[in-house]
Amino acid sequence: MKNKILLSTAVLFSIAGFAQEVKKDTINSLKEVEITSKSKYKREKSTTVSKMPLKDMENSQVVSSITAGMLKDQVNISFDDALNNAAGVIKLWESTGRGSDGGGYYGTRGFSVQPGLKNGLPNVGNGTPDPANVETIEIIKGPSGTLYGGALTSHGGLININTKQPFDRTKTEIGYTFGSFNTHRATLDHNQVISTDKKTAFRINAAYTNKESFQDYGFSKSFFVAPSLLWTINDKLSFVVNAEFMNSKGTNPTMLFMDRDSPVRANTVEKTGYDHNRSYTSNDLTLENPYYNLQATMNYKFNEQWSSKTSFSNYTSYSKGYYTYLYEQTSTIEKNFSPVFGPIDGAIYARSVSKQDARNKGLDVQQNFLGDFKINDNLSNKLLLGGDYYHEKITTNNSSYGNQGFVHVGGTSNAQFQALLPYLHAAVLGSPIKLNEQGDDSGDLTENGANQVIVAQPETNATLDNYSVYVSDVFNISDRLFINAAVRFDVYEAKYNTVGGDNFTKNFSNWSPKIGLVFQPIKERVSLFANYQNGFGRPQQVADYNNDVATYYFAKPEQSIQYEGGVKFDFFDGKLSGTLSYFDITVNDKTIFVGNYTNGYITQDGKQHNNGFEAQFLFVPLKGWNITAGYSYIESKLKEGNADFVGLRPEDAGPRNIANLWTSYKFTDNFVKGLGFGFGANYGSEYATLSRNIAGKFYLPEYLVLGATAFYDAKHFRVAVKVDNLTNEEYYKGWSTINPQNPRSVLGSVSFNF
């Protein structure tokens, strides 16, 4: 492991050393180096980050962006892998596909967040987004309640996906990717100009993906299609319509949930004896996630100073099938059966299954007016006036959870577990779900055993209506000094009802201010920035449990405040750019679940404090050579709240140290023109996926994962090969869980464009 630390440190120091040498050189000597293009990984400005066209150097907020060009260089077919390119972002959970919150969870600035926005509008799915339609992914750092509210953001930031849009020429690209774990992926990207002035166009992106798990069982299949239309009426009026349709089917990724009520028996994965290649599931236990999204935007320009943007968004996402996970019950079983069998050898997990039948629906209408005008010859400002209505409804007809057998992990005496099985079988009653025979002595229960019946539950409906107005102004006091002041007012109406049962509501309102300052000591080259930002959570539907009986209600929203300062720089016509920042975030009224789903309850007396440092760089040292790198250090602690958690690092905070690197070089001259190579690395330090005063801590090991590509890029075709996890690192992610990650894999790719 020391070698991994030395390697990651060497990579980062080599970049720093090279940057230092560049600093020592004069501008005249730099002109001798052939650098003719900016970084193709760079996003110059965005219309979604601040809901107005604003350059990064004028923005007091930090944003990490991932471009389609970077994903193409990496032969990237996974949204999870795409986020590895963002500074300070780490995957906590893969998408579970379950109803209401089945999308993946990611950590940023020590808080969990899910992808909740597309083109700046609400968009919630129960599966993983397909990268085929991604133009850029924006991770907007820090609480962003002022412009985006609290329904779909987190205290650490938000994830927005900007989709591919029609453009002014006809072009087609088809691609095929294949490789390890029976991976097959076919893609289509066609853009068609449909007017003589080339201002109206239609575009369609589509993808089909099949992939099997590296483990003994598990697979995923998906079909995705995304048509879009740009309709330009005249120089003042235009419409953009985007739609997405996706259906995915597969097994749940393996997640081993830790026993949270008893002291940990082993505090590392290695000590548990878990076999990284075992899924403990069946290909019969599948979950489908059909998804649909429609967005329409009308842009109207009143004059040179004022314009209007009217947007509509509507999405529906489903969960249908079986959701399953493994929950450790060693201590409970040992307590009940130790008089007969003594201490349990290894760990025993119950395979918990629920039949899912859930639907998420969302509708959003947003109106923005943007003014861009001068007050006098020296003073100018950009003014945003906006209003938003968001409606969300989650309907669930899920069954209860039932134990469909038990699995034995890490035991040296499997005979003891086999002898225990009849007692465990007697503890659960009913008819089993049919499972495939595992074919070894691991102690997996198959169709021959009796299991708990999963019982149909009453239909539940949770609705949220959010009304908001906001104003934001970027005011230029001079050509080097910018002030950004904004405020938002939200009204939430939340309702929850169970057919024939609970029925309750909660209303609340919230003011969310923001102020930022940017000073450019070197105009358009160096920006010193500082910000104060507010964020808040949505009314959370929570439950207290007493002997398996749940009492539901809405918790009050959490509140967060961030103070941040740093520097942004952009030298040599965009060839060297980056951001260095320090942040400090405090969350009050923190919601904490104590206990378990048999006897557990919610507290709201928590106070959490996160602070840290982030750095991100883009560099083009030579023509055809692109480098992007990031690093973050995050401290996180629960300062107040339940005694089981106070003083500890929260479990969704992830590693203290996260680093990422990607570099690619493409020859641009002579007979090797078009030939290129890429190399990347991702590092995460050790962290406690379980961190409690009663149960103790369970640590996931640090990791350094390397990847490489080789490609040939010609005028009308591209071929590439990619190796992920070059050293075959065995590593894990998690959030109170153990989530095994992919070993080494190889992908080949070929694409044609015409």
Side-chain angles (χ1 to χ4, degrees):
M1 198 59 68
K2 290 182 179 179
N3 291 334
K4 298 170 187 173
I5 297 173
L6 290 173
L7 179 57
S8 61
T9 304
V11 169
L12 293 174
F13 271 97
S14 66
I15 296 171
F18 191 50
Q20 184 67 24
E21 291 300 316
V22 170
K23 182 178 179 181
K24 291 179 181 178
D25 287 340
T26 64
I27 294 178
N28 288 334
S29 66
L30 281 168
K31 289 180 179 178
E32 297 175 1
V33 181
E34 185 178 7
I35 303 177
T36 59
S37 62
K38 297 182 180 181
S39 171
K40 64 178 177 179
Y41 301 156
K42 185 177 182 181
R43 175 191 54 80
E44 293 288 344
K45 64 181 180 179
S46 171
T47 59
T48 52
V49 172
S50 298
K51 293 186 183 286
M52 63 172 69
L54 195 63
K55 294 180 180 179
D56 281 344
M57 297 296 287
E58 300 172 349
N59 193 346
S60 63
Q61 196 165 3
V62 176
V63 182
S64 292
S65 297
I66 302 161
T67 65
M70 183 186 298
L71 301 185
K72 186 174 184 179
D73 279 0
Q74 295 176 343
V75 194
N76 199 311
I77 64 173
S78 163
F79 184 81
D80 287 347
D81 291 344
L83 288 181
N84 287 333
N85 296 292
V89 176
I90 186 171
K91 179 176 66 176
L92 298 172
W93 274 12
E94 293 83 353
S95 169
T96 63
R98 64 186 181 188
S100 77
D101 70 342
Y105 279 91
Y106 309 89
T108 176
R109 297 198 167 176
F111 298 97
S112 62
V113 63
Q114 292 185 290
L117 297 161
K118 195 159 286 184
N119 299 315
L121 300 172
N123 187 270
V124 179
N126 285 331
T128 301
D130 194 298
N133 198 34
V134 169
E135 187 61 40
T136 58
I137 304 171
E138 297 171 333
I139 298 88
I140 305 174
K141 303 297 184 66
S144 301
T146 307
L147 290 181
Y148 288 97
L152 301 171
T153 64
S154 89
H155 305 302
L158 63 90
I159 299 174
N160 173 59
I161 301 170
N162 290 317
T163 62
K164 295 178 179 178
Q165 300 296 314
F167 52 95
D168 60 358
R169 62 191 178 97
T170 297
K171 183 179 179 181
T172 301
E173 182 172 342
I174 58 174
Y176 175 60
T177 303
F178 58 96
S180 300
F181 315 128
N182 199 26
T183 298
H184 297 277
R185 178 174 168 87
T187 58
L188 166 70
D189 183 355
H190 175 70
N191 189 82
Q192 180 70 49
V193 174
I194 53 179
S195 68
T196 55
D197 61 4
K198 298 184 179 181
K199 292 183 178 181
T200 298
F202 171 81
R203 188 173 185 176
I204 186 168
N205 278 272
Y208 170 78
T209 307
N210 176 85
K211 184 178 181 180
E212 295 178 1
S213 171
F214 70 91
Q215 297 178 316
D216 49 2
Y217 289 96
F219 74 94
S220 63
K221 294 181 179 181
S222 67
F223 176 73
F224 172 82
V225 60
S228 56
L229 174 69
L230 169 62
W231 182 24
T232 303
I233 306 299
N234 51 47
D235 292 339
K236 290 188 174 183
L237 179 63
S238 65
F239 296 87
V240 179
V241 180
N242 300 293
E244 291 183 332
F245 305 88
M246 183 174 181
N247 190 28
S248 60
K249 180 179 180 179
T251 57
N252 296 129
T254 298
M255 292 187 183
L256 283 74
F257 282 76
M258 313 300 297
D259 186 349
R260 304 167 186 178
D261 304 319
S262 304
V264 296
R265 299 166 63 88
N267 65 353
T268 66
V269 179
E270 184 179 11
K271 291 179 181 178
T272 65
Y274 169 64
D275 182 350
H276 186 259
N277 295 311
R278 293 301 307 277
S279 65
Y280 299 112
T281 188
S282 159
N283 287 347
D284 294 331
L285 297 176
T286 62
L287 193 63
E288 289 190 67
N289 292 122
Y291 162 80
Y292 149 84
N293 174 46
L294 174 67
Q295 295 182 342
T297 298
M298 180 181 74
N299 295 293
Y300 185 76
K301 188 174 182 180
F302 296 104
N303 50 47
E304 292 301 319
Q305 289 78 38
W306 285 94
S307 60
S308 167
K309 183 177 182 179
T310 307
S311 300
F312 167 84
S313 175
N314 184 34
Y315 66 82
T316 304
S317 182
Y318 296 89
S319 293
K320 295 181 177 294
Y322 293 102
Y323 168 66
T324 178
Y325 66 93
L326 299 170
Y327 192 95
E328 186 184 359
Q329 295 189 337
T330 313
S331 297
T332 300
I333 293 170
E334 192 172 66
K335 179 180 178 181
N336 292 330
F337 298 106
S338 60
V340 179
F341 294 96
I344 299 297
D345 182 34
I348 299 175
Y349 287 80
R351 183 190 290 110
S352 194
V353 179
S354 169
K355 187 173 184 180
Q356 299 279 297
D357 184 5
R359 181 185 65 196
N360 295 18
K361 292 180 67 70
L363 181 147
D364 186 80
V365 180
Q366 191 174 119
Q367 174 62 54
N368 292 317
F369 294 102
L370 179 64
D372 189 350
F373 50 88
K374 290 184 177 293
I375 297 175
N376 57 41
D377 291 340
N378 298 318
L379 304 180
S380 64
N381 72 329
K382 293 181 174 130
L383 178 64
L384 170 70
L385 303 172
D388 185 73
Y389 167 68
Y390 174 57
H391 171 79
E392 177 188 83
K393 183 176 182 180
I394 302 174
T395 301
T396 59
N397 289 280
N398 301 340
S399 74
S400 62
Y401 282 89
N403 288 350
Q404 305 297 319
F406 299 86
V407 297
H408 191 205
V409 175
T412 58
S413 174
N414 196 54
Q416 182 198 45
F417 178 64
Q418 295 295 335
L420 180 61
L421 277 177
Y423 292 85
L424 297 178
H425 294 175
V428 292
L429 303 173
S431 301
I433 293 175
K434 185 176 181 179
L435 301 174
N436 286 341
E437 189 77 43
Q438 295 283 353
D440 61 20
D441 62 355
S442 67
D444 293 312
L445 188 63
T446 63
E447 66 257 33
N448 299 318
N451 302 298
Q452 285 181 330
V453 174
I454 51 178
V455 181
Q457 300 293 297
E459 178 181 290
T460 64
N461 292 281
T463 61
L464 180 71
D465 289 285
N466 178 200
Y467 308 85
S468 61
V469 292
Y470 45 87
V471 57
S472 178
D473 188 51
V474 178
F475 185 67
N476 295 42
I477 295 178
S478 71
D479 61 350
R480 298 189 182 193
L481 182 60
F482 307 83
I483 295 178
N484 179 204
V487 66
R488 178 187 182 107
F489 180 69
D490 281 271
V491 175
Y492 282 84
E493 298 177 357
K495 300 178 182 178
Y496 177 88
N497 70 78
T498 302
V499 175
D502 297 305
N503 191 342
F504 55 93
T505 63
K506 184 177 182 65
N507 299 334
F508 88 98
S509 60
N510 190 82
W511 288 97
S512 182
K514 168 185 175 181
I515 187 165
L517 179 68
V518 176
F519 174 64
Q520 297 182 352
I522 305 176
K523 186 178 178 181
E524 297 182 352
R525 294 293 174 261
V526 177
S527 292
L528 304 177
F529 69 92
N531 65 61
Y532 164 91
Q533 294 184 179
N534 171 261
F536 57 96
R538 61 189 293 157
Q540 297 183 62
Q541 173 218 319
V542 297
D544 292 343
Y545 295 85
N546 184 11
N547 294 323
D548 286 328
V549 178
T551 302
Y552 294 95
Y553 60 96
F554 282 111
K556 61 183 177 181
E558 299 174 346
Q559 296 284 337
S560 58
I561 294 174
Q562 172 183 275
Y563 297 94
E564 182 178 20
V567 58
K568 299 181 181 182
F569 54 89
D570 190 340
F571 294 122
F572 316 123
D573 194 27
K575 300 170 186 67
L576 175 61
S577 60
T579 303
L580 306 173
S581 66
Y582 172 82
F583 62 87
D584 188 288
I585 304 173
T586 299
V587 179
N588 294 304
D589 301 323
K590 179 73 176 176
T591 301
I592 303 170
F593 182 70
V594 182
N596 54 47
Y597 294 104
T598 299
N599 290 287
Y601 59 94
I602 293 290
T603 68
Q604 278 226 268
D605 56 356
K607 181 178 182 180
Q608 183 173 333
H609 180 239
N610 288 17
N611 64 295
F613 169 78
E614 287 182 344
Q616 53 189 27
F617 303 93
L618 291 170
F619 192 23
V620 184
L622 295 171
K623 181 181 178 182
W625 188 6
N626 287 268
I627 300 172
T628 178
Y631 169 76
S632 75
Y633 176 84
I634 303 168
E635 282 291 352
S636 180
K637 181 181 289 187
L638 189 72
K639 308 287 284 188
E640 299 175 8
N642 184 267
D644 196 17
F645 300 91
V646 166
L648 299 178
R649 184 180 182 88
E651 294 162 353
D652 64 342
R656 278 184 172 81
N657 296 278
I658 306 169
N660 65 281
L661 168 72
W662 176 259
T663 178
S664 70
Y665 180 76
K666 183 171 74 171
F667 293 95
T668 57
D669 298 301
N670 302 320
F671 68 96
V672 290
K673 181 180 180 180
L675 178 66
F677 302 92
F679 174 80
N682 284 93
Y683 171 79
S685 58
E686 178 187 71
Y687 73 99
T689 184
L690 186 75
S691 180
R692 310 191 180 200
N693 286 316
I694 295 176
K697 295 183 178 181
F698 187 97
Y699 293 94
L700 297 180
E702 70 170 350
Y703 61 85
L704 177 63
V705 180
L706 308 178
T709 62
F711 57 89
Y712 180 72
D713 210 343
K715 183 177 180 180
H716 291 295
F717 72 92
R718 187 177 196 271
V719 292
V721 62
K722 169 189 181 181
V723 182
D724 277 326
N725 198 352
L726 272 168
T727 59
N728 205 28
E729 177 90 346
E730 183 177 311
Y731 70 111
Y732 301 84
K733 302 290 180 72
W735 174 12
S736 78
T737 58
I738 303 171
N739 299 13
Q741 302 299 299
N742 289 333
R744 183 190 298 117
S745 64
V746 180
L747 293 178
S749 174
V750 58
S751 62
F752 300 90
N753 64 81
F754 45 88

